[in-house]
């Protein structure tokens, strides 16, 4: 096998953890319970997929009489490429400059372009999976409904395979140039934070752009949105011609127009990729110099400074709480998914709903919150919003996983599992409280929700947050992910975070159904809220007791 | 004192036997060297002593405390240094030392005194306010050693402690190991450096394929070999079967 082929093969194996997975499933016979669970998760996605297909069918039926059904393809391709652009930035920075294997690869007799091409290929495969849910249904629905022949399907496969190349190559060129020009390499954390915040800003900008488009709802307006020559879609399409070429290549099949556009799409993709490799040869290694070197101060602490900074006494819970807080907030990926997310999500949510001009589900929910309905409904809706902002992050459900290979320290220190878990609980719950507070402030300032409604809502959210924090921690304790090398795996790619969100949704759904049934019995609003608060208080005590018991058992079992 | 009694540990549901019916006593005031080829069961044994792994069978006690039943008591008198210094990279050296001081409950005066002493010996004073992620491998090893010494433990368990240390730091470590045992405390460590084991240890245990193949003072081990050769020769002969 060629050098590049071997590099890509190894890269893919490492990325998807294939060798480890095979060893765990077949040799160690661990994690087998995951197989049916993953199957179940796939089944769980089916209703959502069905919903997307129904929506696409509706759009197709609306656009076809106007002869504008192609707009559906452009939309799918644009959405896919936009997603790739958005997520690609972080993937590219991490893979090209901060992956751990670079130190091992650079001394090997390989050319810079080979290393970069292999990294690019691994990201490409990742992106195929990322956009699968967005682009594949569009292509398949169009192909079936428009009754297209083999030429469409073959072109569709080619377009799909080349879809991520242009946005990825574009981002790569940007990153390679940036790393060469700016000495960012020594400020890895700053680079990741700035990149991520930039991504969020771009996503919010795009949301606002789409929400503020002239369309005002209704089927005819929607058709106009897609078909009018000045529509947003055409405007973006005009500025980003590859999406139009890909559309024409798909719609045209093997006709002259189809093949010409396909050639254009492939030509530009390959051209950009080739240009990236040429630039890699010139710039890649130069940008890499100094990576991983972090310089600190070299002046020794004076005796008085040292004395001031040295603490005293035994205070294990406080010590572990501080450790959690510091590590979480000093690791960019953890910070973004923890504290930053509970601060940003409420703001984004309200901004999106406000920008929508009062249409859609978000607006309906917010109308409920601002006091149009009964006070009980306002309080419950506000509490739901607060809990969504405070608890739907991975802080609790990655609490043990985040320790990774350093978990050995938690096992050898003379601190009981009860105290360790208490400190972790307080940390996770603090993040939840921050989310609830931010949500309250946002509701009050942006939507004018009255304080008299916010206070009981916050009380309910705090009680429910208590339960959900304990549930998230129990899930992570049951199956902590400790063998990661990239912090992204501990939070963003940790299945426990997903399981915890599913558990939270189940708990909220059960509570929701219970409330609806209770309302039908004719209970007064105040009584209902009091019963709910009492129930949640009971559940809080129960969940915390369960957490401590489970921690006692699991801390002795988790081997590292 | 560490007492290991009929301890076994296997992986892959019993297919790989890492430690097989191991019995061993390390007395107070003794430096005990634990030798063995790669994969012989050294790290597994050490991890069971400090409570990181659970034995399938047998018992381990540290100063009379069962490491499973009285885990907290045995942990409060034991310090452990792993073979690879995987520590909180996002904390500064001093924050890490304070964390250890807080969980072991070391009063300020002793804490300050010991931190200053070991930082000076290991030449870490200038770096202690920096994040650990800026440290070299050797510096990380030194800060882990400083943290292990901070509680002034009665028992120290060190896994390959000399790897990554510069000659000066290695020299200081060997001195402190002697000093530690001179105070009647116990020290158990694994190493691949035969010369160190030969010169430093009061007694040596050799483990191979999970079983203790030899244990005793250097003189006792020499008696096992008719050529009365060096520890390296004895090691090679005992582990080459």
């Amino acid at each position: 096998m060629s050098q590049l082929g071997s590099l890509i093969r190894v890269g893919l194996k490492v990325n998807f953890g294939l060798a480890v997975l095979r060893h765990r499933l077949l040799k160690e016979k661990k994690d087998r319970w995951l197989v049916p669970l993953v199957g179940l998760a796939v089944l769980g996605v089916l209703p959502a997929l069905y919903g997307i297909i129904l929506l696409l069918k509706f759009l197709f039926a609306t656009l076809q009489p106007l002869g504008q059904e192609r707009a559906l393809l452009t939309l799918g391709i644009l959405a896919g490429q936009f997603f790739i652009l958005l997520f690609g930035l972080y993937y590219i920075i991490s893979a090209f400059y901060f992956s751990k294997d670079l130190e091992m690869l650079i001394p090997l007799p390989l050319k810079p372009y080979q290393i970069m091409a292999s990294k690019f290929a691994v990201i490409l495969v990742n992106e195929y999976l990322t956009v699968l849910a967005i682009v594949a249904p569009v292509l398949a629905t169009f192909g079936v409904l428009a009754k297209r022949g083999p030429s469409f399907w073959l072109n569709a496969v080619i377009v799909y395979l080349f879809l991520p190349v242009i946005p990825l190559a574009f981002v790569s060129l940007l990153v390679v140039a940036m790393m060469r020009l700016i000495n960012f390499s020594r400020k890895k954390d700053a680079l990741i934070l700035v990149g991520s915040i930039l991504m969020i800003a771009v996503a919010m900008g795009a949301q606002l752009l789409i929400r503020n488009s002239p369309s005002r709802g209704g089927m005819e307006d929607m058709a106009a949105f897609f078909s009018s020559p000045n529509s947003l879609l055409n405007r973006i399409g005009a500025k980003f011609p590859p999406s139009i070429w890909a559309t024409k290549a798909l719609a045209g099949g093997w006709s002259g127009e189809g093949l010409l556009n396909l050639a254009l799409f492939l030509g530009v993709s390959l051209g950009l990729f080739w240009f990236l490799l040429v630039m890699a040869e010139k710039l890649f290694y130069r940008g890499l110099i100094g990576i991983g070197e972090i310089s600190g101060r070299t002046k020794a602490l004076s005796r008085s400074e040292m004395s001031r900074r040295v603490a005293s006494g035994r205070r294990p819970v406080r010590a572990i709480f501080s450790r959690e807080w510091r590590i979480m907030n000093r690791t960019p990926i953890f910070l973004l998914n923890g504290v930053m997310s509970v601060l940003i999500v409420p703001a984004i949510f309200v901004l999106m709903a406000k920008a929508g001009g009062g249409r859609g589900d978000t607006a309906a929910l917010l109308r409920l919150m601002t006091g149009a309905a009964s006070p009980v409904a306002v309080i419950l809706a506000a509490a739901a919003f607060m809990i969504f902002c405070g608890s739907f992050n991975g802080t609790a459900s990655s609490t043990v996983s985040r320790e990774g290979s350093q978990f050995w320290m938690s096992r050898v220190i003379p601190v009981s599992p009860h105290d360790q878990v208490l400190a972790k609980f307080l940390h996770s719950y603090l993040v939840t409280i921050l989310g609830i507070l931010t949500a309250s402030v946002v509701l009050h300032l942006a939507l004018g929700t009255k304080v008299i409604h916010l206070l009981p809502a916050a009380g309910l959210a705090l009680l429910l947050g208590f339960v959900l924090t304990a549930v998230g921690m129990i899930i992570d304790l049951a199956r902590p992910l400790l063998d990661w090398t990239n912090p992204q795996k501990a939070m963003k790619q940790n299945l426990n975070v997903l399981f915890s969100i599913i558990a939270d949704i189940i708990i909220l759904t059960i509570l929701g159904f219970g409330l609806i049934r209770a309302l039908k019995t004719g209970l007064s609003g105040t009584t209902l809220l009091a019963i709910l608060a009492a129930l949640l208080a009971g559940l809080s005590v129960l969940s915390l007791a369960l957490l401590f018991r489970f921690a006692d058992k699991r801390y002795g079992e988790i081997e590292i | 004192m560490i007492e290991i009694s009929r301890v076994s540990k296997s992986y892959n549901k019993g297919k790989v036997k890492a430690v097989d019916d191991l019995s061993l006593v390390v007395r107070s005031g003794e430096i005990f060297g634990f030798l063995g080829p790669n994969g012989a069961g050294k790290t597994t044994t050490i991890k069971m002593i400090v409570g990181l792994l659970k034995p399938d069978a047998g018992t381990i006690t540290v100063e009379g405390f069962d490491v499973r039943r009285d885990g907290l008591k045995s942990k409060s008198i034991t310090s452990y240094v792993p073979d690879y210094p995987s520590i909180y990279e996002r904390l500064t050296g001093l924050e890490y030392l304070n964390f250890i001081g807080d969980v072991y409950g070391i009063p300020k005066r002793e804490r300050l005194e010991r931190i200053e002493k070991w930082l000076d010996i290991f030449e870490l004073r200038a770096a202690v306010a920096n994040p650990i992620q800026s440290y070299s491998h050797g510096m990380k090893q030194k800060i882990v050693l400083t943290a292990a010494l901070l509680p002034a433990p009665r028992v120290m368990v060190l896994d390959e402690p000399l790897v990554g240390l510069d000659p000066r730091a290695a020299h200081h470590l060997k001195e402190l190991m002697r000093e530690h045992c001179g105070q009647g405390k116990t020290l158990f460590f694994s190493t691949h450096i035969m010369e160190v084991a030969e010169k430093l240890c009061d007694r040596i245990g050799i483990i191979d394929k999970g079983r203790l193949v030899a244990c005793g003072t250097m003189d006792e081990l020499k008696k096992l070999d008719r050529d009365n050769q060096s520890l390296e020769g004895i090691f090679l002969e005992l582990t080459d079967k």
Side-chain angles (χ1 to χ4, degrees):
Chain A
M1 192 182 277
S2 71
Q3 282 179 324
L4 187 58
S6 306
L7 264 178
I8 293 174
R9 203 165 60 101
V10 172
L12 287 172
K13 278 191 171 180
V14 171
N15 182 68
F16 293 103
L18 295 177
V20 176
L21 194 68
R22 193 182 304 143
H23 184 76
R24 284 178 82 91
L25 285 177
L26 303 179
K27 286 261 172 74
E28 290 184 12
K29 299 192 169 39
K30 275 184 185 170
D31 284 351
R32 290 196 156 183
W33 58 275
L34 262 180
V35 176
L37 206 67
V38 168
L40 214 66
V42 169
L43 279 178
V45 171
L46 286 180
L49 193 65
Y50 182 69
I52 292 172
I53 290 171
L54 279 185
L55 177 72
L56 290 171
K57 273 173 88 173
F58 165 74
L59 284 175
F60 187 88
T62 317
L63 292 166
Q64 199 183 27
L66 304 164
Q68 293 293 338
E69 68 271 27
R70 286 175 176 201
L72 198 63
L73 289 174
T74 317
L75 180 73
I77 288 160
L78 265 177
Q81 292 193 320
F82 178 68
F83 237 76
I84 293 164
L85 205 65
L86 211 60
F87 288 104
L89 180 70
Y90 182 73
Y91 282 143
I92 295 277
I93 293 173
S94 304
F96 284 8
Y97 292 97
F98 301 121
S99 54
K100 297 233 172 191
D101 59 351
L102 283 168
E103 280 177 27
M104 184 263 294
L105 289 174
I106 291 168
L108 295 178
L110 296 165
K111 293 203 165 101
Y113 87 87
Q114 289 175 312
I115 296 180
M116 186 170 276
S118 76
K119 298 262 168 211
F120 190 91
V122 172
I123 299 171
L124 196 67
V125 174
N126 270 315
E127 295 288 9
Y128 289 146
L129 299 173
T130 310
V131 294
L132 190 70
I134 302 169
V135 181
V138 175
L139 296 179
T141 313
F142 182 90
V144 172
L145 294 178
K147 299 192 178 66
R148 293 303 174 112
S151 64
F152 170 83
W153 294 106
L154 188 71
N155 284 7
V157 171
I158 298 170
V159 165
Y160 189 80
L161 290 177
F162 279 83
L163 193 74
V165 175
I166 293 175
L168 274 185
F170 175 74
V171 175
S172 303
L173 278 166
L174 205 74
V175 169
V176 170
M178 196 167 75
M179 292 297 279
R180 177 67 196 100
L181 295 174
I182 310 165
N183 188 14
F184 246 137
S185 57
R186 282 166 199 256
K187 299 184 185 75
K188 172 181 171 181
D189 292 353
L191 183 68
I192 292 175
L193 263 180
V194 169
S196 304
I197 292 169
L198 211 72
M199 261 162 48
I200 295 168
V202 169
M204 278 174 72
Q207 273 283 351
L208 290 176
L209 200 69
I210 291 166
R211 295 276 172 156
N212 286 333
S213 63
S215 162
R216 278 278 170 264
M219 266 167 54
E220 280 170 23
D221 285 340
M222 191 179 271
F225 166 70
F226 282 106
S227 57
S228 110
N230 288 322
S231 71
L232 178 77
L233 203 62
N234 284 346
R235 270 188 282 152
I236 296 175
K239 280 181 189 152
F240 190 61
S243 62
I244 301 292
W245 299 334
T247 307
K248 287 183 175 168
L250 288 166
W254 291 340
S255 68
E257 193 200 14
L259 289 175
L260 180 72
N261 278 290
L262 187 67
L264 256 173
F265 184 66
L266 298 189
V268 171
S269 299
L270 292 173
L272 254 180
F273 182 61
W274 174 80
F275 184 59
L276 172 68
L277 295 187
V278 171
M279 295 313 280
E281 209 51 32
K282 289 184 196 298
L283 302 177
F284 185 35
Y285 277 5
R286 286 196 225 168
L288 268 174
I289 293 166
I291 288 281
E293 287 176 11
I294 298 152
S295 53
R297 55 185 264 174
T298 46
K299 197 171 162 280
L301 288 179
S302 69
R303 213 185 146 75
S304 62
E305 260 183 302
M306 183 80 88
S307 173
R308 197 169 43 80
R309 292 197 196 186
V310 167
S312 175
R314 181 176 155 83
R315 41 184 184 181
V317 175
R318 200 165 125 183
I320 292 168
F321 177 87
S322 303
R323 177 197 71 185
E324 294 288 306
W325 183 253
R326 283 172 174 151
I327 293 176
M328 177 107 182
N329 295 348
R330 290 177 191 175
T331 312
I333 296 294
F334 298 165
L335 176 66
L336 280 165
N337 288 281
V339 174
M340 290 274 273
S341 88
V342 298
L343 294 179
I344 292 173
V345 166
I348 291 180
F349 194 85
V350 172
L351 206 66
M352 268 168 61
K354 284 208 108 178
R359 288 175 292 116
D361 298 341
T362 41
L365 180 65
L366 290 172
R367 259 204 306 278
L368 205 64
M369 282 181 216
T370 47
S374 75
V376 176
V378 175
I379 291 167
L380 289 176
F385 178 65
M386 288 174 190
I387 207 69
F388 170 77
C389 296
S391 280
F392 278 57
N393 59 74
T395 311
S397 49
S398 64
T399 186
V400 184
S401 298
R402 284 199 307 273
E403 288 194 52
S405 58
Q406 289 143 14
F407 186 67
W408 69 268
M409 271 185 276
S410 294
R411 290 292 311 278
V412 300
I413 53 175
V415 181
S416 66
H418 176 280
D419 285 359
Q420 297 206 31
V421 161
L422 175 64
K424 282 172 174 288
F425 177 86
L426 292 174
H427 168 248
S428 303
Y429 193 53
L430 180 66
V431 176
T432 301
I433 294 174
L434 266 180
I436 292 172
L437 273 178
T438 319
S440 307
V441 171
V442 162
L443 282 175
H444 184 63
L445 294 182
L447 301 165
T449 311
K450 291 174 190 149
V451 176
I452 197 157
H453 294 149
L454 283 177
L455 284 176
L460 288 176
L462 284 171
L463 284 172
L464 185 55
F466 208 91
V467 181
L468 299 189
T469 302
V471 169
M473 287 179 67
I474 288 172
I475 289 173
D476 198 42
L477 263 172
R479 188 185 165 273
L481 182 75
L482 299 171
D483 55 353
W484 49 266
T485 48
N486 181 347
Q488 195 176 358
K489 290 207 166 177
M491 257 190 121
K492 283 191 125 175
Q493 296 170 4
N494 188 347
L495 273 178
N496 297 349
V497 176
L498 179 72
F499 292 155
S500 164
I501 289 175
I502 292 171
D504 292 355
I505 290 171
I506 292 171
I507 292 169
L508 286 176
T509 311
I510 293 170
L511 281 174
F513 273 116
L515 279 172
I516 290 168
R517 293 209 57 164
L519 270 173
K520 282 183 182 162
T521 60
L523 277 174
S524 78
T526 324
T527 318
L528 189 74
L529 290 181
I531 292 174
L532 183 63
L535 176 74
L536 290 178
L539 281 176
S540 299
V541 176
L542 197 73
S543 58
L544 200 62
L546 200 70
L547 172 66
F548 288 145
R549 257 186 95 154
F550 193 54
D552 263 336
K553 179 175 178 291
R554 287 298 290 151
Y555 264 72
E557 289 172 350
I558 302 167
E559 295 192 333
I560 185 159
Chain B
M1 185 158 92
I2 302 170
E3 274 187 271
I4 301 172
S5 173
R6 308 210 62 181
V7 163
S8 295
K9 175 75 183 172
S10 55
Y11 297 114
N12 286 356
K13 300 203 164 169
K15 281 185 192 156
V16 182
K17 206 137 205 187
V19 173
D20 191 5
D21 200 22
L22 179 73
S23 292
L24 185 65
V25 176
V26 183
R27 297 170 206 126
S28 298
E30 186 172 77
I31 300 183
F32 188 88
F34 202 41
L35 313 184
N38 293 329
K42 298 188 298 293
T43 297
T44 301
T45 306
I46 284 178
K47 284 185 168 181
M48 286 191 288
I49 297 172
V50 296
L52 283 174
L53 293 176
K54 189 175 159 187
D56 298 335
T59 54
I60 301 174
T61 59
V62 173
E63 300 283 318
F65 298 120
D66 187 305
V67 296
R68 301 296 304 171
R69 278 203 319 267
D70 301 315
L72 279 184
K73 283 180 184 152
S74 72
K75 282 172 188 176
S76 63
I77 50 168
T78 310
S79 273
Y80 163 61
V81 174
D83 53 349
Y84 185 81
S86 176
I87 43 170
Y88 307 126
E89 304 242 333
R90 301 276 171 179
L91 299 188
T92 66
L94 195 55
E95 282 170 348
Y96 172 54
L97 296 177
N98 257 328
F99 170 75
I100 296 294
D102 284 345
V103 295
Y104 280 89
I106 305 162
K108 179 155 182 160
R109 202 171 56 82
E110 280 99 321
R111 200 184 292 194
L112 187 63
E113 209 176 273
R114 288 175 200 159
I115 286 177
E116 292 205 309
K117 176 185 170 188
W118 296 115
L119 288 183
D120 284 339
I121 287 178
F122 288 129
E123 294 165 340
L124 277 182
R125 196 179 256 278
V128 77
N130 297 337
I132 293 174
Q133 68 182 142
S134 67
Y135 291 11
S136 68
H137 181 92
M139 286 162 82
K140 285 179 189 166
Q141 185 78 353
K142 288 177 191 174
I143 199 85
V144 176
L145 278 166
T146 306
L149 289 160
L150 192 56
R154 269 150 67 187
V155 176
M156 283 190 86
V157 181
L158 318 175
D159 196 358
E160 308 266 3
L162 295 162
V163 174
L165 292 183
D166 56 57
R168 189 189 300 275
H171 170 75
H172 289 310
L173 177 62
K174 284 183 266 181
E175 279 194 340
L176 83 87
M177 286 162 85
R178 281 198 195 96
E179 192 186 310
H180 177 85
C181 293
Q183 295 163 356
K185 296 172 176 175
T186 312
L187 196 139
F188 183 103
F189 82 109
S190 73
T191 185
H192 282 297
I193 311 169
M194 298 295 149
E195 200 191 347
V196 171
E198 199 168 344
K199 285 187 180 160
L200 201 65
C201 298
D202 298 309
R203 283 197 310 137
I204 291 165
I206 299 175
I207 186 172
D208 188 31
K209 298 184 184 83
R211 296 189 77 95
L212 193 68
V213 289
C215 185
T217 61
M218 198 54 216
D219 289 338
E220 285 166 347
L221 289 182
K222 279 182 179 171
K223 282 181 198 153
L224 291 174
D225 183 70
R226 52 187 180 279
D227 299 330
N228 203 20
Q229 53 186 332
S230 66
L231 181 61
E232 188 176 18
I234 298 165
F235 177 86
L236 290 174
E237 198 177 308
L238 286 171
T239 57
D240 193 30
K241 287 167 188 165

